[in-house]
Amino acid sequence: MAKSLFIKTYGCQMNVYDSNRMTDILAPLGYEASSTPDGADMVILNTCHIREKAAEKVFSELGRLRALKQAKQQVGESMILAVAGCVAQAEGEEITRRAPYVDMVFGPQAYHRLPEMVARASRQAGAVLDTDFPVESKFDHMPDSATVENSTAFLTIQEGCDKFCTFCVVPYTRGAEFSRPVADVLDEARRLRDAGAREITLLGQNVNAYHGTTGNGTERGLGSLIREVAQIEGIDRIRYTTSYPAEVDDELIEAHRDVPELMPFLHLPVQSGSDRVLSAMNRRHNAGQYRDLVERLRAARPDIGLSSDFIVGFPGERESDFEETMDLIRDVGFLQAFSFKYSPRPGTPAAGMPNQVDENVKSRRLASLQALLIEQQTKFNAGCVGRSMPVLLEKFGRHEGQLVGRSPYMQAVHVQAPAHMLGDIEVLHMDSAGENSLAATLVNAAGIASKDVSADAHSARKMAQTV
Ligand code: 5AD
Ligand code: SF4
């Protein structure tokens, strides 16, 4: 009989990918994905440790799930409760101590051993704890089938990070940099395509560090891998994330110039516009090098749009440093961005630095920075009105007859369109724009559409530079 599985995913796309693969791995054991923890036979919290209060959130969620587990036990049934991901990796022992009703605790490198853990959890009392960094790769244990939702899929090509930015826990929770062999990546891309993916996002903690081996012992970088993925029939859109600016190389920039499937949108975290702060963060780029890189990308692909991550209130950040970040935002122009108050992560170098910034100062800086970013984002969206863009129609909207898709720039686009267009890439005319989404109508005549699209490249470039 089918058993139900609920996975709650926190944090980055790598976790979304891992959750999908856990679903695939558990399918042969009879587990089917459910959208609610109520009555589930297994609940997995796939956790994130990157910012504050992550562990506390997990413990309070576990408290709620404990009640569901007890309710099942009272009627003679059982629920396997598991904590996965980076909080499990960093605080595994603490979880088994504080929440002894948890059955399995395992890190991001162990999910391929899930079937074995499930068997052990049903046999033994107490939690199964698996937070080793195994020698064998979890990627070698991938099931043949794949789960794809909404015609778009994530594909992890690289994991771990050796950069040790002084604020970041990732090098400790995800371990050293590792790249999957080229053939494995291409096989998985074809599987995802067969399962309905038209867009693939290549993932890595530091995706620019990708150097996968080929059959003849040579290595391929990210730019060259993208060219190969683009050759796969049926994959029409390629994205990649997350980038580390200091490791973006010419080969990748050339891929932006040459590969039409590679979307003209890049998430390129800068963190700060101050060289002092960047150096204290141990980022291996300064603000000038970042600006330079943006120029080179724009020279290669004039309509490219950028997004970024920013941290305000890093230890020692002065008002003048913050103003340099604001200047950089004004100069570069971002279509969207994520921004955070610095939060000390235990065990990272910055947590022990003197000159921690006052919380009120952090909040004030974050508010002005976000106001500027939202202004840019809203302006960019408004500038799209009147243009036509190809949109991948991913899912049904909230309203009758409505579909929702993504533009090349990752904007959400709403359109009245027939259900059979789900999964298609349609050229849409943008009618109106808000802060977070656009409303559009279908463009019928293909001839008009393609002309409009090439005109778009020109206006996107102008807009990207003027916002
Ligand atoms: N405090 C605040 N933001 C952080 N990030 C990573 N670590 C921290 C931290 N300790 C942000 C960075 C990174 C994004 C994924 O999360 O901006 O790029
Ligand atoms: Fe963390 Fe990214 Fe820096 Fe690696 S490059 S340490 S993942 S912020």
Side-chain angles (χ1 to χ4, degrees):
M1 209 181 72
K3 292 174 270 190
S4 71
L5 164 71
F6 175 73
I7 306 184
K8 178 160 181 172
T9 309
Y10 301 81
C12 66
Q13 288 107 330
M14 308 275 293
N15 270 10
V16 176
Y17 174 86
D18 284 352
S19 293
N20 286 338
R21 296 294 78 77
M22 286 191 246
T23 307
D24 294 340
I25 282 169
L26 289 168
L29 275 65
Y31 286 94
E32 279 177 11
S34 155
S35 55
T36 163
D38 293 319
D41 299 291
M42 190 187 309
V43 174
I44 303 176
L45 298 182
N46 194 7
T47 61
C48 168
H49 203 228
I50 199 126
R51 280 177 298 275
E52 225 169 355
K53 302 196 186 100
E56 288 321 306
K57 273 190 217 151
V58 171
F59 283 113
S60 60
E61 186 67 34
L62 283 174
R64 283 191 289 275
L65 292 169
R66 180 190 200 176
L68 293 182
K69 179 171 171 149
Q70 283 169 340
K72 281 209 96 175
Q73 284 167 334
Q74 273 159 13
V75 296
E77 294 177 6
S78 62
M79 173 199 275
I80 295 179
L81 188 51
V83 183
C86 293
V87 175
Q89 185 66 43
E91 313 211 13
E93 304 271 355
E94 175 79 358
I95 294 169
T96 57
R97 198 179 57 74
R98 272 180 63 183
Y101 48 89
V102 169
D103 302 287
M104 307 189 298
V105 180
F106 54 96
Q109 305 308 324
Y111 68 64
H112 58 294
R113 290 197 292 251
L114 255 174
E116 182 193 324
M117 284 188 261
V118 173
R120 271 168 56 206
S122 25
R123 275 199 313 268
Q124 81 180 42
V128 176
L129 179 66
D130 193 341
T131 49
D132 291 345
F133 285 106
V135 203
E136 91 271 18
S137 157
K138 65 180 179 187
F139 295 111
D140 294 341
H141 301 260
M142 212 55 93
D144 290 338
S145 61
T147 308
V148 170
E149 276 175 40
N150 305 338
S151 353
T152 150
F154 294 126
L155 199 177
T156 295
I157 62 168
Q158 182 278 337
E159 234 185 310
C161 183
D162 301 343
K163 298 298 165 292
F164 291 93
C165 299
T166 53
F167 53 81
C168 186
V169 285
V170 166
Y172 311 95
T173 58
R174 291 267 174 169
E177 285 172 1
F178 164 84
S179 297
R180 294 176 68 191
V182 173
D184 291 12
V185 172
L186 297 178
D187 281 350
E188 191 172 339
R190 284 186 210 100
R191 273 204 301 275
L192 292 166
R193 185 263 328 261
D194 293 344
R198 294 196 65 180
E199 173 181 280
I200 289 196
T201 303
L202 305 173
L203 296 180
Q205 252 94 35
N206 170 8
V207 73
N208 309 99
Y210 181 79
H211 56 101
T213 50
T214 63
N216 63 19
T218 56
E219 287 192 346
R220 288 285 171 86
L222 179 61
S224 153
L225 182 75
I226 286 170
R227 285 175 197 265
E228 297 226 18
V229 174
Q231 297 293 315
I232 299 176
E233 186 68 38
I235 294 179
D236 302 309
R237 288 183 161 196
I238 301 172
R239 304 178 186 276
Y240 63 90
T241 200
T242 299
S243 281
Y244 182 66
E247 290 188 343
V248 173
D249 60 12
D250 289 342
E251 187 190 71
L252 182 59
I253 296 175
E254 284 156 18
H256 277 283
R257 182 191 64 200
D258 301 337
V259 181
E261 289 84 356
L262 185 55
M263 289 291 99
F265 177 77
L266 178 57
H267 181 63
L268 193 62
V270 62
Q271 314 297 357
S272 167
S274 150
D275 290 350
R276 272 187 65 244
V277 172
L278 287 168
S279 155
M281 285 177 165
N282 192 32
R283 298 287 289 184
R284 300 172 196 190
H285 60 85
N286 59 32
Q289 287 162 332
Y290 185 87
R291 284 182 160 88
D292 239 40
L293 176 59
V294 169
E295 282 308 306
R296 283 156 57 216
L297 283 159
R298 285 191 171 140
R301 179 81 208 224
D303 59 339
I304 201 162
L306 295 169
S307 100
S308 199
D309 288 343
F310 297 91
I311 296 178
V312 298
F314 185 81
E317 184 189 69
R318 303 176 192 140
E319 207 55 35
S320 56
D321 297 308
F322 174 67
E323 282 307 325
E324 286 176 10
T325 303
M326 296 291 272
D327 287 344
L328 182 134
I329 296 173
R330 281 184 207 103
D331 294 348
V332 173
F334 294 95
L335 311 194
Q336 60 164 72
F338 302 98
S339 47
F340 315 99
K341 288 195 262 187
Y342 168 70
S343 115
R345 310 314 295 135
T348 58
M353 285 181 185
N355 307 325
Q356 297 286 327
V357 174
D358 181 82
E359 277 305 310
N360 294 325
V361 174
K362 285 186 199 171
S363 302
R364 178 173 50 72
R365 289 182 188 163
L366 186 67
S368 359
L369 181 122
Q370 289 184 337
L372 177 59
L373 289 166
I374 293 287
E375 186 190 317
Q376 293 191 336
Q377 177 174 327
T378 312
K379 238 190 211 163
F380 179 74
N381 289 348
C384 293
V385 173
R387 300 169 55 201
S388 297
M389 284 196 267
V391 172
L392 173 56
L393 296 171
E394 292 179 3
K395 54 185 179 193
F396 291 109
R398 257 183 281 152
H399 303 293
E400 182 74 28
Q402 188 186 54
L403 298 181
V404 187
R406 296 253 168 217
S407 76
Y409 299 109
M410 289 295 276
Q411 297 149 299
V413 183
H414 298 84
V415 61
Q416 290 296 123
H420 69 79
M421 284 189 176
L422 203 62
D424 289 354
I425 296 173
E426 294 289 340
V427 176
L428 304 184
H429 181 267
M430 304 299 142
D431 297 323
S432 63
E435 189 179 304
N436 295 311
S437 65
L438 294 158
T441 41
L442 287 165
V443 174
N444 295 318
I448 300 171
S450 58
K451 218 165 73 208
D452 272 10
V453 174
S454 54
D456 279 343
H458 181 68
S459 45
R461 174 180 62 227
K462 279 207 330 237
M463 260 191 297
Q465 286 167 342
T466 51
V467 284

